[in-house]
Amino acid sequence: MPGIKYEDFLDLDYDPADSELVCWFHVEPAADMDMESAASRVASESSNGTWAELQVEGSVTDLSATAFEIDGNTVGVAYPDELFEDGNMAQVLSCIAGNILGMKAVERIRLNDCEWPEKLATSFPGPQFGTDVRNEIFDAGDRPITATVPKPKVGLSTDQHAQIGYEAWTGGIDLLKDDENLTDQTFNPFEDRLAESLARRDQAEEETGEPKSYLVNITADANTMLDRADAVAEQGCEYVMVDVVTTGWAAVQTVRERCEELGLAIHAHRAMHAAFDRVPNHGVSMRTIAQVARLCGVDHIHTGTADLGKLENEDTVGINEWLYSDLYGMNDVLPMASGGLHPGLVPELMDRCGNNIGIQAGGGVHGHPDGTHAGAKALRQAIDATMEGVPLTEYADDNPELATALDKWGTDTPR
């Protein structure tokens, strides 16, 4: 009987097949381990190896992952397609981002990027709408769509929440958005908030002549999310919002299936992502999280502010480019920029990220000295000025809301 050893999972002359999932890891070996030994253990533990040399009847090596490239601390690992269950993201991640993150053989390990083969990628549905929401729902033309979260983000009553939404919508905001931790609390129950906010949405649409919508947070257990998605559709809303990391990818896939039946778009909030991606040499990158989200079928996802806002960011521009990229005909995803944005940051944000994005500002709208309505107008004015190629200070001459925002915040980034 042939033995299966760690070194059987390393072949630096191997050329991955087109059908294989290729993953790129940052690896820092443990003190008593060289890079080749660590790389072979990554491939072994994430496929069909174990710590003991095995004596196996017949061959199972065709199901072994192969560490095929080592470049400094970067390790490439190729996984045979047969290792994965089609359309099961939980199972895929249990392989490529599972036990290997806790192995003693590595001091640090981070899944940085994936190259998805066609068969595996297309076993997932991908987005139903993607960036087409800008025109299919909002008729926004070439400009970014806008969103805002009522502030304070939790604690407002249903009436307060809906009124703030109305003021934001009539000021030019496209989307009212729940905060990630607002679901169905007693101070602002889900069903009441949904009904009252949409009633004010309808009023705002009639007054402005512009389509408006609401990113209502349905995050809960999977069955409750399905019930809430049904309620959203019955009330005539176009969106649901899901905290995709905390609720789990299997639940996201379940919601995606129901949302296709209902014709609803999915706004993905990435709360908890930093538990995986903030440490630059360990965990799972935001790039990979965004890839998983696209495959599972979200239409928007927060990808950061290209270092302009209050949160730590990875390569926002590179992540956005991947979300736009061709992936075997799969729809793309609209990146949402959020976290400490205000009107003075809009030109630089759009210069770095382009127009095919969503811009969400919370404090940068509601913290305007003249209130939410004026703050919404200022954000929209900053976008309009940037689209027209007019400096904000010049545009502010005829737009007092923008002038006031610039006086308050300038172009500084918050912390």
Side-chain angles (χ1 to χ4, degrees), residues 81-89 91-92 120 123-124:
D81 177 71
E82 292 80 7
L83 282 174
F84 305 113
E85 179 183 353
D86 286 350
N88 186 341
M89 187 56 72
Q91 186 269 337
V92 173
L120 181 59
S123 72
F124 295 93

Side-chain angles (χ1 to χ4, degrees), residues 49-380:
T50 187
W51 64 271
E53 181 176 337
L54 300 180
Q55 303 299 318
V56 181
E57 291 283 358
S59 175
V60 295
T61 56
D62 57 343
L63 294 178
S64 298
T66 302
F68 67 92
E69 184 172 321
I70 299 174
D71 183 5
N73 290 104
T74 298
V75 173
V77 178
Y79 295 88
D81 177 71
E82 292 80 7
L83 282 174
F84 305 113
E85 179 183 353
D86 286 350
N88 186 341
M89 187 56 72
Q91 186 269 337
V92 173
L93 291 174
S94 291
C95 294
I96 65 175
N99 286 349
I100 55 174
L101 296 180
M103 292 192 309
K104 291 181 178 179
V106 296
E107 183 68 24
R108 294 286 186 269
I109 179 171
R110 178 182 172 95
L111 174 56
N112 274 331
D113 199 3
C114 298
E115 297 173 21
W116 300 89
E118 183 172 8
K119 181 177 179 294
L120 181 59
T122 57
S123 72
F124 295 93
Q128 186 178 180
F129 301 99
T131 61
D132 285 347
V133 296
R134 291 169 59 230
N135 289 311
E136 288 193 22
I137 296 177
F138 296 108
D139 193 25
D142 292 332
R143 71 167 174 85
I145 61 173
T146 56
T148 191
V149 177
K151 299 293 183 177
K153 56 188 183 178
V154 291
L156 295 171
S157 69
T158 300
D159 288 345
Q160 289 173 315
H161 182 101
Q163 177 62 26
I164 289 173
Y166 169 77
E167 293 173 6
W169 279 316
T170 54
I173 293 292
D174 299 302
L175 283 159
L176 180 68
K177 176 190 168 296
D178 285 347
D179 193 64
E180 67 274 10
N181 52 353
L182 178 64
T183 52
D184 187 29
Q185 292 95 320
T186 56
F187 58 83
N188 195 352
F190 175 84
E191 291 188 3
D192 294 346
R193 185 173 74 253
L194 175 64
E196 291 193 30
S197 295
L198 290 178
R200 302 308 299 274
R201 185 276 307 268
D202 293 345
Q203 183 181 353
E205 284 187 335
E206 184 174 347
E207 293 180 13
T208 64
E210 294 182 338
K212 308 291 182 182
S213 196
Y214 178 24
L215 305 173
V216 58
N217 188 8
I218 67 169
T219 299
D221 64 274
N223 289 332
T224 300
M225 286 198 290
L226 296 181
D227 291 341
R228 290 177 181 173
D230 290 343
V232 169
E234 289 169 4
Q235 292 280 352
C237 190
E238 296 84 359
Y239 279 96
V240 296
M241 171 180 145
V242 179
D243 298 340
V244 292
V245 178
T246 56
T247 202
W249 297 110
V252 173
Q253 290 186 255
T254 300
V255 170
R256 168 64 176 83
E257 184 175 351
R258 179 65 60 87
C259 284
E260 182 160 8
E261 297 172 5
L262 299 171
L264 299 176
I266 300 173
H267 177 89
H269 195 289
R270 60 178 183 163
M272 198 180 174
H273 76 98
F276 302 95
D277 66 34
R278 182 165 183 171
V279 178
N281 61 352
H282 191 78
V284 178
S285 71
M286 184 60 214
R287 181 182 181 89
T288 303
I289 293 171
Q291 292 173 0
V292 169
R294 181 181 182 183
L295 292 168
C296 289
V298 309
D299 297 288
H300 304 175
I301 189 169
H302 296 240
T303 61
T305 60
D307 293 325
L308 289 172
K310 67 181 180 180
L311 303 176
E312 289 286 341
N313 288 291
E314 292 191 284
D315 177 21
T316 299
V317 173
I319 293 168
N320 292 359
E321 288 175 349
W322 192 92
L323 292 174
Y324 301 137
S325 68
D326 178 65
L327 189 65
Y328 314 113
M330 183 177 289
N331 283 339
D332 58 5
V333 177
L334 184 73
M336 296 293 294
S338 65
L341 294 176
H342 58 75
L345 298 175
V346 166
E348 183 62 25
L349 176 68
M350 290 174 61
D351 181 64
R352 296 183 187 186
C353 297
N355 304 345
N356 194 14
I357 58 174
I359 298 177
Q360 178 190 302
V365 167
H366 310 295
H368 191 284
D370 297 321
T372 292
H373 183 79
K377 292 182 74 172
L379 181 64
R380 184 70 173 266

Side-chain angles (χ1 to χ4, degrees), residues 16-43:
D18 291 341
S19 62
E20 293 184 299
L21 172 62
V22 173
C23 295
W24 297 96
F25 297 92
H26 173 89
V27 176
E28 298 176 15
D32 60 347
M33 192 78 55
D34 61 37
M35 181 59 78
E36 290 192 356
S37 297
S40 66
R41 282 161 171 77
V42 171

